[in-house]
Amino acid sequence: MHTDQASSYQAASYQAPGGLLQGRIILVTGAGDGIGKAAALGFARLGATLILLGKTVEKLEQVYDQIEQEGCPQPAIIPLNLETATVADYQKIASTLEQEFGRLDGLLLNAAILGDMRPLEFFPMDTFEKVMKVNVNAQFLLVRTLMPLLRLSEQGSIIFTTSSVGRQGRANWGAYAISKFAVEGMMQTLADETRNTSQLKVNCINPGATRTRMRANAYPGEDPATLCPPEAILNLYFYLMGSDSAGVTGQSLDAQPK
Ligand SMILES: NC(=O)c1ccc[n+]([C@@H]2O[C@H](COP(=O)([O-])OP(=O)(O)OC[C@H]3O[C@@H](n4cnc5c(N)ncnc54)[C@H](OP(=O)(O)O)[C@@H]3O)[C@@H](O)[C@H]2O)c1
């Protein structure tokens, strides 16, 4: 199923009740900055235990400290460069999580890179490969290695992160746009594979224009003050992570429906 705007409107205005994610164990990729950081803090404030995965350790430590200072459940940090990580690295993460937590209730696949913005005819191969590694291969490997832990959850939720250029191609968005089409395809494939056999929900969120470093890189001339900050787009993330979205799977929803 593709974008369901009616559901996007409803879900994007969801008001999460306090304690919605109490007792849940949620892994967020790219948890040190931008939307991933805001989502991790938001999930923690709703009671979840966060596993903060990302590239820059200092940024993850900052989020860790903030979660602790606010008295939320103690998080964990997994430093990982998704561009260079090996299959063995992912397997190690899965066995550590199994030992420490025994299961996984939520997986927000948020980390991504933009790469170059130029026509495909002139797109450098090394950048193309780098974008595919971070935005596609890493998502696949995380899903593949973490599925056994997610299946142990009573109501697991996987959220992929898409973009409007992953639904309708756009000139100069190059590898990034192609990678987001792949993400939509991965979500649909996994949702179809799990629909009748588990409680697992598998969906995509398109955050829409959001005030982050990636957005500033894509639109250097834009005034960031005109954009929603990451903290203001989280209702849909809470909805899909929590139990009120039971049975919602295979959807690609907009955090800021127009
Ligand atoms: N912002 C928007 O307007 C917008 C619109 C549509 C879709 N999105 C999507 O929303 C998601 C979040 O984007 P954002 O705007 O929050 O971007 P951002 O501010 O650039 O944050 C990206 C995050 O991904 C992490 N990351 C990048 N490369 C990594 C690697 N090799 N290994 C591990 N982590 C890595 C970054 O960690 P470091 O900081 O340590 O590098 C950072 O935490 C992305 O999937 C993006 O495509 C954003």
Side-chain angles (χ1 to χ4, degrees):
M1 187 188 295
H2 272 287
T3 316
D4 179 342
Q5 287 299 340
S7 300
S8 278
Y9 281 117
Q10 216 175 17
S13 54
Y14 176 70
Q15 291 302 306
L20 174 77
L21 303 175
Q22 203 80 45
R24 301 243 173 176
I25 299 150
I26 298 177
L27 189 152
V28 175
T29 71
D33 211 342
I35 295 166
K37 174 181 178 178
L41 287 167
F43 293 154
R45 287 171 186 146
L46 290 170
T49 297
L50 265 292
I51 299 151
L52 310 166
L53 186 149
K55 190 175 64 179
T56 311
V57 180
E58 300 77 48
K59 290 186 184 181
L60 297 173
E61 285 173 348
Q62 245 184 9
V63 180
Y64 182 103
D65 289 346
Q66 195 169 336
I67 288 174
E68 280 230 304
Q69 276 161 22
E70 292 187 24
C72 304
Q74 187 181 22
I77 287 181
I78 300 181
L80 189 75
N81 185 339
L82 298 172
E83 191 191 333
T84 52
T86 63
V87 171
D89 291 328
Y90 290 100
Q91 282 164 348
K92 204 171 147 204
I93 289 170
S95 46
T96 305
L97 293 181
E98 188 180 7
Q99 276 166 23
E100 295 292 322
F101 301 102
R103 66 171 203 284
L104 193 60
D105 300 305
L107 174 61
L108 172 58
L109 295 160
N110 160 83
I113 53 172
L114 184 62
D116 291 6
M117 297 198 64
R118 61 172 84 182
L120 290 179
E121 188 181 353
F122 307 111
F123 206 89
M125 188 60 199
D126 57 344
T127 310
F128 190 88
E129 282 181 345
K130 195 169 153 175
V131 172
M132 289 301 154
K133 271 188 187 156
V134 176
N135 296 8
V136 183
N137 298 16
Q139 326 292 315
F140 161 66
L141 285 165
L142 280 162
V143 164
R144 200 180 68 165
T145 40
L146 296 176
M147 272 299 279
L149 287 176
L150 284 152
R151 282 190 186 280
L152 294 174
S153 172
E154 277 179 13
Q155 206 197 91
S157 177
I158 299 180
I159 302 175
F160 289 91
T161 308
T162 186
S163 162
S164 51
V165 297
R167 297 170 178 164
Q168 174 66 54
R170 196 180 304 161
N172 302 328
W173 281 76
Y176 178 81
I178 296 168
S179 75
K180 294 299 185 182
F181 270 92
V183 163
E184 293 264 358
M186 209 180 321
M187 178 280 287
Q188 289 179 24
T189 304
L190 186 62
D192 204 41
E193 287 168 357
T194 51
R195 198 181 304 275
N196 299 319
T197 57
S198 76
Q199 300 295 318
L200 191 68
K201 299 173 283 185
V202 183
N203 297 284
C204 271
I205 290 181
N206 170 22
T210 309
R211 193 189 306 159
T212 67
R213 184 185 51 166
M214 181 186 285
R215 177 75 189 187
N217 288 338
Y219 295 90
E222 185 176 63
D223 176 4
T226 61
L227 300 169
C228 254
E231 309 73 56
I233 65 154
L234 296 179
N235 293 340
L236 181 57
Y237 290 80
F238 298 152
Y239 174 69
L240 288 179
M241 226 17 122
S243 52
D244 290 323
S245 58
V248 175
T249 198
Q251 296 209 25
S252 187
L253 300 171
D254 292 343
Q256 302 180 66
K258 295 209 170 69

